[in-house]
């Protein structure tokens, strides 16, 4: 009887102790188990690096674009193809090694070499519209019998924005530095933004550059205005009039409209961290050729301490993703599922990076990565996340590049989840 009582006491102690063990102490599902989830059972995306594989039949248009997601011309054509919502293949190449952007059409025949294919983004938009005339949106809608608004506003870009900008910097930091080694003056920026405001007032029926619907004009202007919104306030941090999103209502309305465009918000849009890095790359180059010491850029405002400062909240994220993913079978059904899919497809590379940067063993990194994937697919388990998983989620949010690795909307889902795991639940920046 005493022996039985002792055994019962021992069993009770074991049960009590096991209840104190947090659920995250148990191993998360294996990769094989995780990949049984439909979100991780998608076909590979039609995106290739450097060249089209020999086993891929080029029966669809092929877009060759900048692999770093920095080239403005590539971004314009990429956005155009995404807006048309048509099937095409993508080959990511180095801008330094190949001419980009370019589109190889299936019926090009002998005219499909990089030497003869068109690379002017404005002409490529004309080609896209001619190939898909009945597929919305129409790039050049007839708003009146007298004015071709979209083409007109494309031509206005170099005249409205600051002139004599350094050509070498136009993809990374446009309209901030002049070709004579000087910086563009604050007054010039204010004049440009006021002119953009006036342009939008000409077409008052909607927030886009030509009114109600997105057109080729928005696609040409978007890469420049996107960088401008992030970089100009960094160059003039104390002047509200040098912040396109806070001092100009019509201009800010355009930015907000673009963030409601599925192709932009879910795929092409870059984040503040990406464009800050591009500006940081350009500053030393400008300083080397600066006309005087006064024209040099000695510093930028410090990087905010707030985690997630580089992202923007988008209240329409779930609906935008639903629209965007509907015709793209290689994408997950939800933004969080899309991040989980990316992590699954790239688990070996990410595990190695986490092992190196987080100071944990490869086995621990792999387990933490699986925890994060599980939490993205099953939010209810996130409360059980281990310390390593919490650290891994932040590491991934800070490491994945937007839009190179994932789009803004999926990145936002990861950021919100990562920050929700932290003791200080101060969520993503709305700046």
């Amino acid at each position: 009887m005493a022996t039985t009582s002792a055994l019962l006491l021992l069993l009770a102690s074991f049960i009590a102790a096991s209840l104190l063990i947090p659920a995250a102490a148990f191993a998360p599902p294996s990769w094989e188990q995780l990949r049984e989830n439909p979100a991780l059972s998608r076909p590979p995306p039609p995106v290739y690096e450097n060249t089209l594989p020999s086993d891929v039949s080029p029966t669809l248009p092929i877009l060759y674009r900048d692999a770093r997601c920095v080239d403005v011309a590539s971004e314009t054509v990429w956005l155009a193809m995404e807006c048309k919502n048509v099937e095409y293949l993508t080959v990511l190449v180095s801008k330094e090694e190949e001419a980009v952007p370019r589109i190889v059409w299936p019926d090009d025949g002998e005219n499909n070499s990089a030497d003869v294919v068109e690379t002017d983004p404005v002409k490529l938009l004309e080609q896209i519209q001619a190939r898909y005339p009945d597929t919305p949106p129409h790039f050049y809608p007839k708003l009146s019998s007298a004015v071709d608004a979209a083409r007109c506003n494309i031509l206005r870009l170099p005249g409205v924005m600051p002139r004599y900008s350094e050509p070498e910097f136009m993809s990374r930091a446009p309209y901030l530095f002049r070709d004579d080694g000087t910086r563009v003056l604050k007054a010039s920026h204010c004049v440009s933004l006021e002119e953009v405001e006036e342009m939008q007032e000409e077409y008052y029926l909607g927030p886009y550059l030509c009114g109600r619907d997105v057109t080729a004009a928005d696609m040409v202007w978007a890469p420049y205005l996107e960088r401008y919104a992030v970089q100009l306030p960094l160059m003039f941090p104390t002047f509200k009039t040098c912040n396109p999103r806070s001092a100009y209502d019509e201009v800010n309305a355009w930015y907000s409209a673009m963030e409601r465009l599925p192709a932009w918000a879910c795929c092409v849009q870059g984040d503040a961290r990406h464009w800050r890095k591009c500006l940081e790359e350009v500053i030393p180059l400008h300083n080397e050729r600066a006309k005087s010491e006064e024209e040099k850029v000695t510093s930028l405002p410090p990087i905010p301490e707030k985690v997630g400062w580089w992202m923007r909240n988008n209240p329409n994220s779930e609906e935008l993703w639903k629209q965007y993913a509907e015709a793209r079978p290689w994408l997950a059904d939800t933004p969080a599922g899309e991040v989980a899919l990316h992590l699954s497809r790239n688990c070996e590379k990410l595990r190695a990076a986490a092992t190196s940067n987080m100071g944990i063993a490869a086995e621990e990194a792999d387990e933490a990565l699986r925890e994060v994937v599980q939490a993205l697919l099953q939010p209810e388990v996130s409360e059980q996340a281990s310390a390593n998983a919490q650290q891994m989620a932040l590491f991934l949010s800070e490491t994945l590049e937007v839009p190179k690795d994932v789009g803004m909307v999926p990145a936002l889902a990861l950021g919100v989840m990562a920050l929700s795991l932290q003791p200080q639940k101060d969520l993503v920046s709305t700046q």
Side-chain angles (χ1 to χ4, degrees):
M1 188 71 174
T3 302
T4 302
S5 298
L7 287 173
L8 289 173
L9 181 61
L10 181 62
L11 179 60
S13 299
F14 174 78
I15 293 173
S18 67
L19 292 175
L20 295 176
I21 300 175
F26 298 100
S30 66
W31 285 114
E32 290 73 18
Q33 291 170 322
L34 287 169
R35 287 167 181 152
E36 291 176 0
N37 189 302
L40 304 188
S41 304
R42 305 289 173 154
V47 180
Y48 308 93
E49 295 184 5
N50 301 319
T51 187
L52 198 67
S54 58
D55 60 343
V56 176
S57 177
T59 57
L60 296 173
I62 308 168
L63 170 62
Y64 291 80
R65 62 175 175 85
D66 168 36
R68 290 187 61 206
C69 298
V70 171
D71 178 57
V72 288
S74 290
E75 186 175 342
T76 286
V77 179
W78 182 22
L79 176 59
M81 293 294 281
E82 290 294 322
C83 282
K84 280 293 188 181
N85 203 23
V86 296
E87 287 189 84
Y88 70 99
L89 307 176
T90 296
V91 179
L92 303 173
V93 298
S94 168
K95 180 184 176 183
E96 288 71 32
E97 297 177 4
E98 294 194 37
V100 292
R102 66 183 193 272
I103 300 177
V104 176
W105 302 100
D107 57 0
D108 275 348
E110 296 180 356
N111 298 322
N112 61 359
S113 71
D115 296 330
V116 297
V117 171
E118 183 62 67
T119 59
D120 182 331
V122 176
K123 294 180 180 179
L124 286 173
L125 262 59
E126 297 277 2
Q127 285 187 14
I128 296 168
Q129 179 58 38
R131 295 270 181 167
Y132 305 102
D134 300 321
T135 303
H138 196 296
F139 289 177
Y140 312 98
K142 290 293 184 182
L143 303 183
S144 74
S145 59
V147 178
D148 189 342
R151 291 184 177 91
C152 178
N153 279 345
I154 290 172
L155 294 175
R156 293 169 77 175
L157 174 63
V160 168
M161 300 304 288
R163 300 178 186 182
Y164 310 111
S165 295
E166 171 54 56
E168 184 182 338
F169 302 158
M170 289 301 285
S171 279
R172 288 177 289 179
Y175 303 116
L176 300 179
F177 305 98
R178 290 162 56 98
D179 57 11
D180 63 356
T182 61
R183 289 187 284 176
V184 174
L185 296 175
K186 177 175 73 72
S188 296
H189 294 299
C190 295
V191 168
S192 292
L193 288 168
E194 288 167 1
E195 290 193 34
V196 175
E197 190 104 324
E198 291 174 4
M199 281 176 55
Q200 291 177 272
E201 290 172 355
E202 294 174 11
Y203 302 98
Y204 56 87
L205 295 179
Y208 292 105
L209 292 179
C210 296
R212 185 180 295 109
D213 300 312
V214 68
T215 67
D218 301 287
M219 297 168 198
V220 172
W221 280 70
Y224 298 105
L225 292 181
E226 174 188 25
R227 291 152 178 76
Y228 212 50
V230 174
Q231 297 171 347
L232 186 57
L234 293 175
M235 295 292 289
F236 297 93
T238 61
F239 295 95
K240 182 180 178 181
T241 52
C242 285
N243 189 326
R245 297 211 66 158
S246 65
Y248 305 89
D249 292 342
E250 296 295 333
V251 177
N252 186 55
W254 177 86
Y255 285 112
S256 298
M258 292 298 291
E259 288 166 356
R260 295 191 296 271
L261 188 67
W264 178 256
C266 297
C267 182
V268 181
Q269 180 184 13
D271 64 10
R273 180 176 52 192
H274 182 52
W275 302 126
R276 179 178 176 123
K277 286 180 180 178
C278 287
L279 177 58
E280 290 171 342
E281 290 176 6
V282 163
I283 286 174
L285 301 177
H286 163 75
N287 287 346
E288 286 179 3
R289 63 186 74 179
K291 191 173 182 179
S292 66
E293 288 297 317
E294 289 73 20
E295 296 295 341
K296 292 183 178 180
V297 180
T298 56
S299 65
L300 294 176
I303 294 175
E305 294 181 1
K306 184 176 182 179
V307 176
W309 62 268
W310 55 88
M311 292 181 283
R312 289 189 60 84
N313 277 323
N314 192 324
N316 305 301
S317 292
E318 294 293 333
E319 180 57 32
L320 288 170
W321 187 260
K322 182 179 179 181
Q323 295 176 40
Y324 181 70
E326 185 175 11
R328 295 168 173 85
W330 58 88
L331 299 178
D333 291 336
T334 65
E338 180 63 17
V339 180
L341 181 58
H342 176 83
L343 301 183
S344 173
R345 286 170 172 162
N346 298 275
C347 61
E348 293 184 7
K349 179 178 70 174
L350 293 170
R351 180 177 61 237
T355 302
S356 174
N357 288 274
M358 292 172 55
I360 59 177
E363 295 78 9
E364 294 177 295
D366 187 77
E367 184 170 301
L369 186 58
R370 285 183 280 125
E371 275 194 71
V372 171
V373 171
Q374 184 185 24
L376 287 164
L377 298 175
Q378 301 171 273
E380 64 274 10
V381 307
S382 62
E383 295 181 1
Q384 305 167 359
S386 67
N388 278 347
Q390 294 173 16
Q391 185 183 1
M392 174 66 77
L394 275 181
F395 168 76
L396 293 169
S397 182
E398 294 171 350
T399 301
L400 295 187
E401 297 184 47
V402 179
K404 181 175 176 288
D405 296 324
V406 293
M408 178 71 84
V409 165
L412 182 61
L414 173 62
V416 169
M417 189 276 284
L419 291 170
S420 72
L421 300 182
Q422 309 309 309
Q424 178 104 22
K425 296 186 179 181
D426 187 11
L427 295 186
V428 180
S429 168
T430 59
Q431 299 301 311

